[in-house]
Amino acid sequence: MNYLTNEKLVIVGAGGMIGSNMVQTVLTLGLTPNICLYDIYEPGVHGVFDEMEQCAFPGANLSYTVDPAEAFTGAKYIISSGGAPRKEGMTREDLLKGNCQIAADFGENIKKYCPDVKHVVVIFNPADVTALTALIHSGLKPNQLTSLAALDSTRLQQALAHEFGVQQDKVTGAHTYGGHGEQMAVFASKVKVDGKPLSEMGLSAERWEEIKHHTVQGGSNIIKLRGRSSFQSPAYTAVKMIEAAMGGEKFTLPAGCYVNDEKLGFKNVMMAMPTTIDATGVHYTEPTGTPEEMASLQASYEHLCKMRDEIIGLDIVPAVAEWKKDNANL
């Protein structure tokens, strides 16, 4: 089997449902044979390791460990789902304190054991602030670390495809920006359905609001339907992000990235933007939309600032003015 690269990929949280799905997806897509499965729960990660070996992927070179030094040393790519899962009745923001402390430790492990890692994808919630925390503690350049955001856009795309009875890939430009949470900004002005602008599709304002609400609540809807948080869609999307960073197909759905941009007025946050991930990292462009959409994005940014300030208040990350002491690239 021909693999995209032979470089080491670490799956953090590999004993869980997202992590185990990521391992299988990486091997199915042929990204790299060299995968280290890392988790603090030995029986679980051991079980995933056994199952993956029993799939008998040609050329696969799997390992598993509960030791961060063993896992991270030599890593060139990392995807982390290593936080507590969201449960019914919880918002992503409810996970803030515990998961941000996990993210801080994760960043320190990167700095200590694999400072030459090429790209890191963070997908455990609340992804905007866990990724920001990991970036600050890791010492990485901003273009080297991204967070999961595309899932909100694919949920919007799905809803519009069902609304108009078209194949999902016929819906383009269905994007959400800002935070990956209850305050995400849902954009309609660039959406086309089978090449036709959404504004010409006869969608009522009331129905659009229902679709927006369903998009924002997409994660909680999965919990209600399946009794647990989503795992297949975030696993696949995260692997496609790391595939792009490995030099494979570019990833052009919105990704969470570090933004400190005087021109845009967004400073010192991780947020979903119009982005491209490729072998040189993540790159963003300026979002454009209607005045209402841009106001929604501004509100989402302000919510992210509040969450950032909360983790500063918890001493999980230092005050913004002190970030360069931990990460000279910020």
Side-chain angles (χ1 to χ4, degrees):
M1 184 172 181
N2 293 322
Y3 288 92
L4 183 61
T5 180
N6 284 316
E7 293 180 305
K8 181 178 179 179
L9 168 67
V10 179
I11 304 291
V12 180
M17 293 299 291
I18 295 177
S20 60
N21 270 260
M22 287 194 295
V23 177
Q24 188 166 34
T25 302
V26 168
L27 291 168
T28 301
L29 293 178
L31 302 191
T32 179
N34 294 312
I35 309 173
C36 180
L37 286 60
Y38 170 64
D39 206 303
I40 60 172
Y41 180 58
E42 196 282 337
V45 71
H46 189 165
V48 173
F49 169 80
D50 280 357
E51 279 219 80
M52 290 302 104
E53 286 208 325
Q54 289 160 18
C55 289
F57 286 100
N61 178 32
L62 303 179
S63 62
Y64 77 93
T65 184
V66 295
D67 177 10
E70 181 181 351
F72 286 83
T73 299
K76 297 301 182 183
Y77 303 95
I78 306 172
I79 312 176
S80 179
S81 63
R86 182 178 170 193
K87 298 178 181 178
E88 188 166 1
M90 296 176 69
T91 66
R92 295 179 180 95
E93 288 80 0
D94 289 334
L95 297 171
L96 183 73
K97 183 177 180 180
N99 277 359
C100 283
Q101 186 56 62
I102 291 171
D105 295 339
F106 171 59
E108 292 295 335
N109 282 332
I110 292 171
K111 181 183 289 184
K112 184 175 181 180
Y113 299 116
C114 56
D116 58 346
V117 69
K118 293 182 177 181
H119 201 86
V120 177
V121 176
V122 176
I123 67 174
F124 60 101
N125 282 317
D128 311 293
V129 283
T130 56
L132 178 63
T133 301
L135 177 63
I136 293 165
H137 283 273
S138 69
L140 296 178
K141 296 176 182 177
N143 70 325
Q144 293 180 279
L145 190 146
T146 48
S147 65
L148 180 67
L151 202 50
D152 301 318
S153 293
T154 59
R155 285 166 176 163
L156 176 61
Q157 182 191 51
Q158 176 203 24
L160 290 169
H162 283 293
E163 180 72 16
F164 295 107
V166 300
Q167 194 75 27
Q168 189 169 333
D169 61 4
K170 297 294 185 182
V171 178
T172 59
H175 294 157
T176 72
Y177 300 122
H180 178 57
E182 310 301 316
Q183 301 295 323
M184 72 182 72
V186 184
F187 279 46
S189 57
K190 300 294 191 296
V191 174
K192 290 185 177 180
V193 180
D194 206 6
K196 187 175 180 180
L198 181 62
S199 59
E200 299 176 12
M201 297 297 293
L203 187 69
S204 70
E206 293 77 15
R207 182 61 184 140
W208 170 242
E209 288 302 318
E210 291 174 356
I211 289 172
K212 279 206 301 184
H213 179 74
H214 184 79
T215 299
V216 171
Q217 297 298 324
S220 60
N221 291 334
I222 294 293
I223 294 171
K224 290 175 183 176
L225 290 168
R226 302 193 70 175
R228 56 160 300 121
S229 59
S230 58
F231 57 93
Q232 290 166 307
S233 50
Y236 179 77
T237 303
V239 169
K240 293 298 288 183
M241 292 168 73
I242 212 72
E243 176 186 32
M246 288 174 169
E249 180 184 9
K250 291 182 179 180
F251 189 86
T252 57
L253 286 168
C257 58
Y258 181 71
V259 182
N260 187 26
D261 195 312
E262 290 283 354
K263 177 187 173 184
L264 299 180
F266 302 140
K267 300 196 296 185
N268 303 304
V269 294
M270 293 284 300
M271 61 188 288
M273 297 282 279
T275 50
T276 298
I277 302 175
D278 59 23
T280 64
V282 64
H283 311 278
Y284 70 83
T285 58
E286 181 177 354
T288 58
T290 65
E292 293 79 12
E293 287 169 343
M294 297 308 292
S296 176
L297 181 57
Q298 178 66 30
S300 186
Y301 162 71
E302 290 171 3
H303 179 69
L304 292 173
C305 290
K306 289 178 182 178
M307 288 202 293
R308 177 201 63 206
D309 293 345
E310 185 175 344
I311 60 172
I312 289 172
L314 293 168
D315 291 326
I316 295 173
V317 300
V320 174
E322 304 295 316
W323 285 3
K324 280 190 175 293
K325 293 180 179 178
D326 284 305
N327 187 335
N329 294 304
L330 299 182

